[in-house]
């Protein structure tokens, strides 16, 4: 039995446009003292796992390779010909490994602080996985966040998964005290996950198995991949299986999925801001703010973004508008 770190590298980070683009998603940006979120995620799990498996798409596999060279680690590469969501992505990794192997599945674009707390949580998850459970990791919420899903829990039992709430509902969750943020991180034996996927989403299981068995050097066939239903692991397994357990964690966590989250991280790390809390990302050119508070000015070579920190979730509207017009500004 081996402990395997499975790194999911899909996603564009649309709420961090124009920094994050299709050709350079947020997980590969060297924004954090010369390191990327991808590299930090690999290094965080290096002392826990024996092996790394990367599941990504054909557009970002070269970026993953470059990052892994920087980390100096060998890895198994699984290249999706077309995105089929997280249930299939995790199935490919489970099919590629031994049935008894324990997988630690993480996104590649989250910020985590608290090394010991993180390791303690993962080791607690591994112990539960050895008992045949599928483990999800919940984050103790620090504010009524509307950008995250929630887990209702009692000790290590999951009572329900909740979608991203509105502000009133999020405040109610915090007040009730038995809700965690859903981190999107999991731990389980390969065979247990595949059995549950086969039970609840047999078409995903069967078609993912066909695609994997026909793959060449880890590269999946597009035609076979298109037969796989696109469904998230939450809907496919986590919300339906009777084998789910949750580990409540105490490390600091952010998915850095918005400029508000990035702002908070930068400011907490001593990033320069003016007297009204305004910051500049991407240029050394002097930028003055008049009559604005907590505003983020983002500079790239072909686009500027000016966003009020509290309105960061709305950046996705600009991304969607550009996408509708097939703009090259997303590439």
């Amino acid at each position: 039995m081996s402990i395997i770190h499975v790194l999911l590298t899909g996603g564009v980070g649309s709420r961090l446009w124009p920094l994050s683009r299709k050709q350079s998603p947020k997980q590969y940006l060297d924004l954090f003292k010369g390191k990327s979120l991808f590299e930090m995620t690999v290094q965080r799990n290096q002392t826990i796992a024996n092996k790394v498996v990367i599941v990504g798409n054909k557009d970002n596999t070269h970026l993953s390779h470059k990052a892994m060279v920087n980390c100096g680690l060998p890895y198994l590469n699984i290249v999706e010909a077309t995105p089929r969501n997280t249930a299939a992505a995790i199935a490919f990794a489970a099919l590629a490994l031994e049935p008894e192997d324990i997988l630690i599945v993480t996104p590649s674009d989250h910020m985590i602080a608290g090394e010991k707390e993180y390791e303690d949580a993962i080791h607690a998850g591994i112990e539960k996985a050895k008992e045949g459970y599928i483990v999800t990791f919940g984050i103790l919420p620090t504010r009524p966040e509307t950008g995250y899903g929630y887990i209702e829990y009692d000790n290590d039992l999951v009572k329900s998964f909740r979608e991203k709430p509105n502000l009133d509902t999020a405040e109610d969750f915090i007040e009730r005290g038995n809700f965690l943020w859903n981190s999107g991180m999991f731990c389980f034996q390969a065979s247990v996950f595949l059995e549950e996927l086969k039970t609840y989403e047999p078409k995903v299981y069967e078609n993912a198995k066909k695609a994997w068995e026909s793959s060449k050097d880890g590269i999946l066939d597009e035609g076979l991949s298109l037969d796989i239903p696109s469904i998230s692991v939450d809907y496919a397994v986590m919300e339906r299986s009777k084998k789910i357990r949750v580990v409540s964690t105490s490390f600091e966590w952010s998915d850095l999925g918005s400029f508000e989250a990035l702002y908070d991280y930068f400011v907490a790390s001593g990033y320069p801001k003016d007297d009204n809390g305004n910051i500049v990302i991407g240029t050394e050119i002097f930028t003055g703010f008049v009559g604005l508070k907590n505003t983020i000015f983002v500079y790239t070579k072909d686009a500027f973004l000016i966003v009020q920190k509290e309105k960061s979730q709305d950046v996705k509207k600009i991304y969607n508008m550009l996408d509708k017009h097939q703009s090259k500004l997303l590439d």
Side-chain angles (χ1 to χ4, degrees), residues 20-36:
S20 188
R21 310 282 184 106
K22 288 177 181 176
Q23 302 300 323
S24 56
K26 68 169 178 173
Q27 57 266 35
Y28 302 106
L29 301 175
D30 296 335
L31 291 173
F32 310 95
K33 297 174 184 169
K35 284 186 183 175
S36 66

Side-chain angles (χ1 to χ4, degrees), residues 180-227:
L180 301 165
W181 287 335
N182 188 349
S183 71
M185 294 172 16
F186 312 104
C187 182
F188 45 74
Q189 280 188 331
S191 59
V192 173
F193 176 79
L194 291 172
E195 282 162 17
E196 295 300 275
L197 184 64
K198 189 177 183 179
T199 299
Y200 295 105
E201 286 291 338
K203 198 170 175 190
V204 175
Y205 171 81
E206 294 295 346
N207 290 347
K209 191 165 183 280
K210 276 183 203 166
W212 172 250
E213 286 172 350
S214 301
S215 66
K216 292 182 175 61
D217 299 322
I219 300 169
L220 296 156
D221 178 79
E222 186 168 1
L224 291 172
S225 297
L226 285 168
D227 291 336

Side-chain angles (χ1 to χ4, degrees), residues 104-125:
I104 302 162
V105 181
T106 75
S108 57
D109 57 358
H110 291 183
M111 175 61 71
I112 288 172
E115 194 175 309
K116 184 183 184 305
E117 292 83 355
Y118 178 79
E119 288 192 6
D120 288 348
I122 297 298
H123 285 302

